[in-house]
Amino acid sequence: FLYMLFSRYLVVGYRVTGLPDLMTFEFNPRFQLIPFYDIKNDALNCMLNIFLFIPLGVFLPALWRDLFSFKNTMIWASSITLLIELMQIFCGRLTDINDLMTNLFGAFIGFCILRMITKAFPKLFKNKFKKRELVLVFGSTFWILFFVDPILQNFVEDIGNAVMRLR
């Protein structure tokens, strides 16, 4: 159940961050590399980034016992947010250092929430999944959304357009 929930979270995160897919892939780099630049005028985006990454800070250590340490969770969260920001180079979105910072802060909050839950219910999360399963879940979700989803979406749209023309 947690794997399915985590996969759904990844799909929503992929959609919300507007990452490229096979049909929208284009190299169009835009960078904002000055920390805290114009952050007060972008407070809503900062809050949304924090809330988007709170579940990641919960899921990583809850599903993979090796990531139950703060250091390991933050390393994985950093890698994931950096990957997202670098992928935005290929869809015309802004790659922003503030997004990296707010995403990590969200993962930190999620990690703290999980720690409070596990102190109250120590036997709740005793999963011993392997890290390769983490890579498999991330990788399969990405490849499906990047390659398969746009092709299926175009196929369904073509069928819908054909049906509309027959009417």
Side-chain angles (χ1 to χ4, degrees), residues 31 43-44 59 65 82 100 116 130 146 167:
F31 299 98
L44 178 61
F59 277 122
R65 198 71 179 151
L82 182 61
L100 285 168
M116 287 187 289
K130 306 259 188 283
F146 186 84
R167 287 185 173 184

Side-chain angles (χ1 to χ4, degrees), residues 14 19 35 37 44 50 66 74 84 96-97 100 102 104 107-109 122-123 130 136 140 147 152 159 164-165 167:
Y14 191 94
L19 296 179
Y37 177 77
L44 178 61
I50 291 169
D66 292 347
M74 289 299 111
I84 289 169
D96 190 347
I97 190 74
L100 285 168
T102 53
L104 277 177
F108 168 74
I109 292 170
K123 295 182 181 182
K130 306 259 188 283
L136 181 66
S140 60
F147 288 109
L152 287 176
I159 289 174
M164 294 303 286
R165 282 191 296 263
R167 287 185 173 184

Side-chain angles (χ1 to χ4, degrees), residues 11-70:
V11 169
V12 169
Y14 191 94
R15 296 280 189 242
V16 167
T17 55
L19 296 179
D21 60 36
L22 186 62
M23 304 301 184
T24 62
F25 191 82
E26 67 175 86
F27 185 69
N28 187 11
R30 295 177 37 225
F31 299 98
Q32 194 296 104
L33 301 175
I34 303 168
F36 304 108
Y37 177 77
D38 203 32
I39 202 165
K40 72 177 183 178
N41 293 327
D42 204 14
L44 178 61
N45 183 53
C46 291
M47 293 305 294
L48 293 174
N49 281 336
I50 291 169
F51 286 121
L52 180 63
F53 271 74
I54 288 173
L56 187 70
V58 172
F59 277 122
L60 289 177
L63 288 172
W64 292 278
R65 198 71 179 151
D66 292 347
L67 301 180
F68 207 73
S69 76
F70 175 75

